[in-house]
Amino acid sequence: MDIQKQINNYIASQPDTKRSDMEALHKRILKLFPKGKLWFLDGRDDKGKIVTNPNIGYGLLTMKYADGKTKEFYQVGISANTTGISVYIMGIQDKKYLPGTYGKTIGKASVTGYCIKFKTLKDINIDILEAAIRDGVKQTA
């Protein structure tokens, strides 16, 4: 199954409110990454065991580990979770940057070093979320 079909199936499998929020977020991020690589991670490890929620990813980032190894990964990801939606902004070195820069202005969301988690899109300022995404991508470009 191609990646776009996997993404469509994943979004379609969500409850109504979450589905419409995921669709809106997906479309908005696609506008930010019109030519970016699309990813779909089903949440399973190499042995097929579920280890995380499925993720939709956008863009391309080469992650460098302490042992010198590298791995290609997405720059931005979205995932449905039990209480809402998580947006992952990967590769920002300063783990205090996102919460310090966007935590007070984004609305009802939990902001960590690389994750912005909220219940519904109406709980947050979508323009601030987009600014955080643009900012994170710019830092890792």
Side-chain angles (χ1 to χ4, degrees):
M1 188 181 319
D2 76 335
I3 290 174
Q4 189 59 59
K5 192 170 212 151
Q6 289 176 301
I7 290 169
N8 292 343
N9 288 347
Y10 172 60
I11 292 173
S13 74
Q14 302 303 313
D16 288 345
T17 304
K18 200 178 290 187
R19 180 175 54 247
S20 61
D21 282 354
M22 293 280 290
E23 284 173 345
L25 197 51
H26 177 61
K27 287 176 184 172
R28 191 139 182 174
I29 295 172
L30 284 174
K31 285 183 181 177
L32 295 175
F33 291 95
K35 295 180 181 165
K37 181 176 179 174
L38 265 182
W39 302 67
F40 182 75
L41 306 175
D42 66 4
R44 298 176 190 275
D45 66 11
D46 296 338
K47 296 179 181 106
K49 181 180 174 190
I50 296 174
V51 294
T52 185
N53 291 328
N55 284 261
I56 302 168
Y58 310 85
L60 181 62
L61 172 69
T62 301
M63 299 182 66
K64 295 179 181 123
Y65 294 96
D67 64 3
K69 292 182 181 174
T70 61
K71 175 183 176 182
E72 287 191 343
F73 205 62
Y74 55 73
Q75 288 176 290
V76 175
I78 63 173
S79 177
N81 59 53
T82 53
T83 59
I85 299 170
S86 296
V87 176
Y88 305 101
I89 305 173
M90 307 304 291
I92 298 174
Q93 296 301 312
D94 180 357
K95 297 303 172 203
K96 294 179 182 174
Y97 183 78
L98 276 180
T101 307
Y102 300 102
K104 287 185 171 71
T105 57
I106 197 159
K108 265 175 83 174
S110 160
V111 184
T112 67
Y114 68 93
C115 180
I116 299 171
K117 190 185 317 186
F118 50 91
K119 189 169 182 172
T120 67
L121 280 178
K122 68 179 181 355
D123 290 337
I124 64 163
N125 182 326
I126 188 75
D127 294 327
I128 298 292
L129 176 63
E130 186 174 311
I133 291 169
R134 285 181 191 275
D135 194 358
V137 169
K138 185 176 170 187
Q139 287 187 40
T140 59

